[in-house]
């Protein structure tokens, strides 16, 4: 079990917290990072681009003129791809880019990312992160002046609505509930701020 200092919002140690080495002490793995980051990015692709080919364009059922005797090139349909208003030849079609690696890979990548932040000493566990009101200014002062951070990902339970409503408006900070924690968000922010309850929840979900 790894020991972490639990601090208040003024960075004063108030207690210690033991967390699983399997979750917060794993070895960084670039291959897992790649697979899961690729999944998150590629699954955002809508895949809705598409055009109509000759068979989908309305009209053109009748041969425009007879095959021989007119002196003109033979034509089968006025909706062929070389006609104005015709279908598109070999155009893009709608497709699904969905990609999902195994659950073990997804969990392993998240464990490795959390462990990397712990190893870099950029993982801060606070005893509590309560705000008196949903005020972005109040959250900004707590994060920048008291915790001395220029940017971070804050993790706490979703029922802490004052925190979530306050931090989500800050440009260089983000906030998520423990169940919404994902690899891309962890890697995008240099610092992680977890409440002790959120840390235990993440440990339970990933163990």
């Amino acid at each position: 079990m790894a020991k972490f200092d639990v601090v208040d919002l003024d960075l004063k140690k108030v207690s210690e917290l033991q967390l699983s080495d399997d979750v917060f002490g794993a070895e960084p793995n670039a291959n897992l990072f790649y697979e899961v980051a690729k999944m998150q990015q590629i699954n955002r692709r809508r895949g809705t681009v598409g055009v109509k080919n000759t068979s989908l364009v309305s009209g053109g059922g009748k041969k425009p003129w007879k095959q021989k005797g007119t002196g003109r090139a033979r034509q089968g349909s006025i909706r062929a791809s070389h006609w104005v208003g015709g279908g598109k030849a070999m155009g893009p079609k709608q497709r699904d880019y969905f990609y999902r690696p195994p659950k073990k890979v997804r969990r392993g990548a998240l464990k490795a990312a959390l462990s990397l932040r712990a190893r870099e000493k950029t993982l801060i566990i606070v005893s509590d992160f309560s705000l008196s009101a949903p005020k972005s200014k109040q959250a900004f002062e707590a994060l920048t002046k008291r915790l001395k951070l220029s940017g971070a990902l804050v993790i706490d339970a979703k029922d802490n609505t004052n925190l979530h409503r306050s931090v989500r408006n800050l440009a260089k900070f983000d906030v998520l509930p423990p169940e919404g924690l994902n690899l891309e968000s962890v890697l995008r922010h240099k610092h992680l701020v977890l409440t002790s309850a959120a840390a235990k929840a993440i440990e339970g979900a990933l163990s």
Side-chain angles (χ1 to χ4, degrees):
M1 300 290 282
K3 284 187 177 181
F4 292 87
D5 291 339
V6 179
V7 299
D8 60 16
L9 293 180
D10 293 310
L11 293 176
K12 294 180 180 178
K13 181 178 177 180
V14 295
S15 63
E16 287 186 349
L17 183 66
Q18 288 189 337
L19 297 172
S20 171
D21 285 332
D22 183 50
V23 178
F24 291 91
E27 288 294 324
N29 190 318
N31 291 328
L32 294 181
F33 288 168
Y34 170 76
E35 288 297 326
V36 178
K38 179 176 70 172
M39 175 198 73
Q40 288 190 249
Q41 293 178 19
I42 202 171
N43 286 348
R44 284 198 292 267
R45 296 185 69 177
R46 297 292 298 272
T48 54
V49 62
V51 297
K52 292 183 177 181
N53 56 24
T54 304
S55 64
L56 295 176
V57 178
S58 62
K62 181 183 178 182
K63 188 173 175 67
W65 52 77
K66 63 182 183 178
Q67 183 82 347
K68 296 178 178 293
T70 64
R72 291 182 287 183
R74 52 195 173 188
Q75 301 292 335
S77 171
I78 61 171
R79 290 295 178 259
S81 59
H82 60 281
W83 282 72
V84 174
K88 182 70 174 179
M90 293 177 287
K93 296 181 180 180
Q94 293 189 13
R95 59 173 294 189
D96 184 6
Y97 290 96
F98 182 77
Y99 167 75
R100 190 172 190 178
K103 187 175 183 178
K104 188 175 181 180
V105 172
R106 302 196 306 271
R107 285 190 171 187
L110 196 51
K111 291 177 184 179
L114 292 170
S115 302
L116 178 64
R117 291 292 179 257
R119 183 174 300 182
E120 295 172 342
K121 306 295 184 183
T122 57
L123 190 152
I124 302 172
I125 300 179
V126 296
S127 57
D128 184 56
F129 204 139
S130 299
L131 300 176
S132 59
K135 299 280 187 181
S136 294
K137 182 178 180 181
Q138 187 178 351
F140 184 76
E141 289 178 352
L143 290 165
T144 57
K145 294 182 179 179
R146 299 175 69 181
L147 291 177
K148 297 177 173 55
L149 300 173
S150 58
L153 174 64
V154 182
I155 310 294
D156 197 15
K158 60 183 177 182
D159 57 5
N160 189 353
T161 54
N162 287 346
L163 177 66
H164 282 260
R165 291 178 180 177
S166 301
V167 177
R168 68 186 182 187
N169 292 327
L170 303 178
K172 295 184 179 180
F173 295 89
D174 199 3
V175 60
L176 288 172
E179 58 270 21
L181 186 64
N182 61 87
L183 176 72
E184 197 172 30
S185 295
V186 174
L187 296 182
R188 187 182 292 123
H189 297 86
K190 184 65 177 176
H191 289 83
L192 293 180
V193 179
L194 283 69
T195 62
S196 55
K200 295 300 288 185
I202 291 171
E203 179 189 37
L206 296 179
S207 295

